[in-house]
Amino acid sequence: MADEAPQRLGQRLDGKALAGKIQQELSDRIAPLIEKAGRPPGLAVIMVGDNPASAAYVRNKERACERVGIASFGKHLPSDATFEQVENLIHELNADDRVDGILVQLPLPDHLDSVALLHLIDPVKDADGLHPVNLGHLVRKEEGLRSCTPAGVMRLLEEYNIDPAGKTAVVIGRSILVGKPVALMLLDANATVTIAHSRTPDLAAVTRTADILVPAVGRPGLITGDMVKPGAVVVDVGINRVTKPDGGSKLVGDIDTDSVSEVASYLAPVPGGVGPMTVAMLLHNTVLSYIQRCCS
Amino acid sequence: MMSPLQDKRVSPSPQSLDEPAQSNGSTSDSSIDTSGFDLACYLAQQQKRVEVALDQSLPMAQPETIYDSMRYSLLAGGKRLRPILCLATCELMGGHEAQSMPTACALEMVHTMSLIHDDLPAMDNDDYRRGKLTNHKVYGDDIAILAGDGLLAYAFEYVAENTEDVPAPRILKVVAQLGRAVGASGLVGGQVVDLECEGKTDMTLETLHFIHTHKTSALLEVSVVSGAILAGASEADQQRLLSYAQKIGLAFQIVDDVLDITATSEELGKSAGKDLKAQKLTYPSLWGIEKSQREAQSLVEQAKAEVSGWGEKALPLMAIADYITARTH
């Protein structure tokens, strides 16, 4: 009876609870260091323009900083800010000793080259882990700042004692933000990794092989229960805002939660799964840089 | 097998020789100095023995999910204070580990059951305990309930099946007392009154006492007394130990309440300030922090006085009593 697959179904991977624990741990870790360093850790968030979704994310991050005891330096530029203005701001923050982490809130207005700007951030202060130097560290399996969302996925699996070693992992999506780095991290954790994407001919055939399935595409309802291997762990990284019948809107991921819950053993839902973990890992990176810069 | 305590009496370790004012020989019955007793070392050693015994007490079996879930919480760490108390009193009364270890493990099984069920959404709804996800967060509410049931039933089976060198009537007495400590006359009863009082601001000191003597003390009492019963202690000795246990049980709860206010979550391993937020009636809310600390200290002194007649043999029990007020988590 126990030889048959899965005993537990649709158990939630609770990113919100884990993020709370991590923030508490960071806060306890910082407290004794502040006196020695003479200052708290600092995170600078650069926002250009007035995208309401971005503004909400930035507020979220600033509030989390406050809870943990990290000083946040909000830098808000108008939507018509020039490349040089943002460039100067980044240089200024690179040189500012109070700042341990610098984050450029994406997306930027179309006239700004976001990749070129990201390259200007001092890799030691690259709290988002997106600088080529840090991505290079990841590829080479060296120490460095890891990008937040993929690191959040891994930390969440670890918390629930889900060891990717020897398992088949399927990542859907090949973005530099999530797909590629999370695939590398799963590979480092000794999973056998497949990256599926928009040109994959029979997506369901691929996803059904996954013991660990990580959809990161941004298309609601992409993954339904029939595409999931019974007992698989599904970590939903998609973020989509959809309109409800009553006219309001809500956040959903890439999976059809109802049908996937019937098949998966564990499930990181949207919202409440990987989302809160991304912020927690951002703070983690900031504190890591702080400790490295002040205490070593 | 030599216990650390016997070890100490035979040949004092170099460490204890360095300690001043310890071997002046003037230890009268009522004032034994526990400062020379290396409690941290004693607790660490006993804890290790208990960990090993617990691991062996519950091997994996089919169906895997339930054994996995039971072991997840049973082996999640913790002070193991209840088993250590049982082992200590058994030894104090001249017994040995083969007599007391199965009961020591059973006490931890029962304690673990109460934690698993306490954390459920229908009760305290906690996500974390000792820095680890609570049982239902990992295995689901259904399995968590069953894991608690499984541990509770297995505790009694384990005492009955595995206790060695103890006449059956004594084992029966332990089983009966353990049952009384856990049931509606003990832990369960205390929990019910606690739930009924939630949100009430006009609770009396009597009710508060009732909750704690049932919720917390009952299991500590049976931890202490069962060790004595297994070793064949006299009724009078059992009474003195019971009185010791009642006093440290209450002191333990008072200190817990104070720590909820004064400690950080990291020190506690659980959310700090929860009682305050929930506007729960606690000893500090009735007495203030200072008076609570004084009361706890006084209870500890009384508890130590109960067992001081046994002299140096009672050092572990006295040191454990001190530890209760000294601890920060």
Side-chain angles (χ1 to χ4, degrees):
Chain A
M1 148 187 122
D3 293 340
E4 287 165 34
Q7 305 88 341
R8 64 185 91 90
L9 288 178
Q11 184 70 16
R12 295 296 193 262
L13 298 173
D14 190 339
K16 196 172 163 209
L18 176 54
K21 176 179 129 171
I22 290 172
Q23 291 183 10
Q24 185 63 56
E25 283 171 356
L26 289 174
S27 164
D28 292 337
R29 202 162 150 200
I30 294 169
L33 297 177
I34 289 181
E35 203 180 335
K36 217 188 313 173
R39 64 171 182 85
L43 174 67
V45 181
I46 301 174
M47 183 176 155
V48 184
D50 296 302
N51 181 333
S54 292
Y57 287 135
V58 170
R59 260 202 313 279
N60 231 337
K61 287 165 186 167
E62 286 174 346
R63 266 201 295 260
C65 279
E66 199 180 321
R67 274 199 300 276
V68 170
I70 296 175
S72 58
F73 302 87
K75 301 290 178 184
H76 193 176
L77 300 176
S79 52
D80 58 358
T82 62
F83 186 89
E84 284 69 29
Q85 278 176 302
V86 187
E87 183 181 13
N88 288 337
L89 180 56
I90 291 176
H91 286 318
E92 200 181 292
L93 293 168
N94 280 340
D96 190 334
D97 277 339
R98 300 167 305 165
V99 175
D100 303 289
I102 302 169
L103 165 89
V104 178
Q105 183 64 46
L106 302 174
L108 291 172
D110 289 339
H111 69 279
L112 294 172
D113 180 347
S114 57
V115 176
L117 286 170
L118 288 178
H119 285 204
L120 297 174
I121 296 175
D122 180 349
V124 179
K125 297 189 176 187
D126 172 35
D128 242 350
L130 296 176
H131 189 281
V133 167
N134 283 316
L135 288 170
H137 285 314
L138 170 62
V139 175
R140 296 188 58 104
K141 213 179 164 180
E142 295 164 351
E143 257 181 52
L145 295 169
R146 295 290 189 253
S147 49
C148 301
T149 302
V153 171
M154 300 306 288
R155 183 67 185 80
L156 194 54
L157 292 175
E158 186 193 327
E159 186 71 3
Y160 283 79
N161 287 321
I162 298 164
D163 183 0
K167 296 200 171 71
T168 298
V170 173
V171 176
I172 314 171
R174 50 182 158 176
S175 76
I176 196 66
L177 273 172
V178 182
K180 280 179 195 164
V182 85
L184 283 166
M185 288 180 196
L186 286 162
L187 183 65
D188 280 348
N190 298 315
T192 303
V193 183
T194 302
I195 305 179
H197 46 80
S198 54
R199 308 284 284 273
T200 302
D202 186 354
L203 182 62
V206 178
T207 58
R208 274 196 286 264
T209 66
D211 301 311
I212 298 174
L213 182 61
V214 186
V217 176
R219 197 186 314 153
L222 175 71
I223 302 296
T224 46
D226 59 311
M227 299 167 75
V228 175
K229 178 177 171 177
V233 174
V234 181
V235 184
D236 193 352
V237 191
I239 291 271
N240 311 285
R241 193 166 282 281
V242 296
T243 310
K244 290 189 290 186
D246 66 5
S249 72
K250 64 169 181 175
L251 279 184
V252 298
D254 287 350
I255 66 168
D256 173 50
T257 311
D258 289 344
S259 63
V260 172
S261 294
E262 301 282 309
V263 191
S265 60
Y266 283 103
L267 169 64
V270 175
V274 174
M277 290 301 297
T278 301
V279 180
M281 298 321 280
L282 172 71
L283 304 184
H284 171 86
N285 278 348
T286 305
V287 172
L288 218 61
S289 307
Y290 168 70
I291 290 172
Q292 208 165 23
R293 296 177 67 240
C294 291
C295 308
S296 63
Chain B
M1 266 202 306
M2 206 186 265
S3 82
L5 181 63
Q6 286 163 339
D7 205 13
K8 186 144 248 153
R9 265 177 289 158
V10 177
S11 56
S13 66
Q15 217 179 353
S16 69
L17 285 175
D18 290 339
E19 308 250 1
Q22 212 261 318
S23 42
N24 284 346
S26 65
T27 39
S28 78
D29 268 1
S30 58
S31 65
I32 289 175
D33 183 11
T34 60
S35 64
F37 178 74
D38 191 347
L39 179 72
C41 177
Y42 172 80
L43 287 179
Q45 284 189 30
Q46 294 297 82
Q47 198 179 328
K48 211 176 283 170
R49 293 167 117 93
V50 172
E51 288 303 332
V52 172
L54 284 173
D55 189 20
Q56 290 167 351
S57 73
L58 187 63
M60 279 302 291
Q62 302 287 348
E64 221 169 86
T65 314
I66 189 66
Y67 282 93
D68 212 18
S69 164
M70 286 159 75
R71 284 177 59 85
Y72 175 84
S73 291
L74 186 64
L75 304 178
K79 299 180 289 285
R80 310 304 192 193
L81 198 56
R82 289 155 193 83
I84 291 173
L85 280 167
C86 174
L87 298 176
T89 48
C90 183
E91 190 181 331
L92 174 66
M93 293 291 107
H96 55 86
E97 210 177 273
Q99 296 176 308
S100 54
M101 191 55 99
T103 300
C105 290
L107 288 160
E108 197 64 20
M109 291 172 196
V110 168
H111 178 55
T112 303
M113 170 282 294
S114 76
L115 299 181
I116 295 174
H117 284 180
D118 235 19
D119 290 335
L120 284 166
M123 305 277 271
D124 287 353
N125 194 18
D126 271 313
D127 296 333
Y128 280 93
R129 177 172 291 278
R130 295 169 188 155
K132 272 184 85 172
L133 287 161
T134 47
N135 196 292
H136 67 272
K137 294 294 283 186
V138 179
Y139 298 96
D141 296 0
D142 43 8
I143 296 296
I145 292 169
L146 292 168
D149 293 346
L151 283 167
L152 179 59
Y154 189 55
F156 290 93
E157 178 189 339
Y158 198 70
V159 172
E161 288 275 1
N162 295 281
T163 306
E164 289 173 26
D165 288 340
V166 179
R170 287 190 213 158
I171 302 180
L172 271 180
K173 197 172 172 196
V174 165
V175 167
Q177 294 222 351
L178 187 55
R180 200 170 65 193
V182 187
S185 53
L187 206 142
V188 167
Q191 185 78 345
V192 168
V193 177
D194 193 16
L195 287 173
E196 285 173 353
C197 288
E198 220 162 83
K200 281 190 193 165
T201 46
D202 57 346
M203 209 200 324
T204 61
L205 183 62
E206 265 180 333
T207 315
L208 188 63
H209 270 311
F210 180 91
I211 291 170
H212 292 316
T213 49
H214 290 73
K215 231 179 98 171
T216 320
S217 296
L219 197 57
L220 279 172
E221 285 164 25
V222 73
S223 304
V224 168
V225 174
S226 61
I229 295 171
L230 290 164
S234 70
E235 199 62 44
D237 284 347
Q238 287 179 35
Q239 276 305 318
R240 280 167 79 186
L241 286 168
L242 176 64
S243 173
Y244 160 88
Q246 286 167 336
K247 292 183 166 90
I248 62 165
L250 189 53
F252 189 89
Q253 190 57 52
I254 297 173
V255 172
D256 244 17
D257 285 355
V258 171
L259 284 175
D260 184 78
I261 299 173
T262 58
T264 67
S265 294
E266 188 191 34
E267 284 171 327
L268 280 182
K270 60 182 180 188
S271 324
K274 228 186 147 170
D275 295 348
L276 272 184
K277 270 178 236 154
Q279 285 199 312
K280 257 187 158 173
L281 186 74
T282 61
Y283 289 103
S285 74
L286 269 180
W287 292 338
I289 289 180
E290 255 176 60
K291 188 184 173 198
S292 300
Q293 282 168 334
R294 273 204 310 276
E295 289 284 335
Q297 191 53 48
S298 147
L299 282 163
V300 165
E301 293 307 327
Q302 293 170 38
K304 283 162 69 180
E306 290 286 352
V307 296
S308 63
W310 283 298
E312 281 200 3
K313 279 197 296 182
L315 274 175
L317 289 185
M318 288 194 272
I320 289 171
D322 279 330
Y323 164 74
I324 283 172
T325 39
R327 79 207 156 97
T328 54
H329 57 276

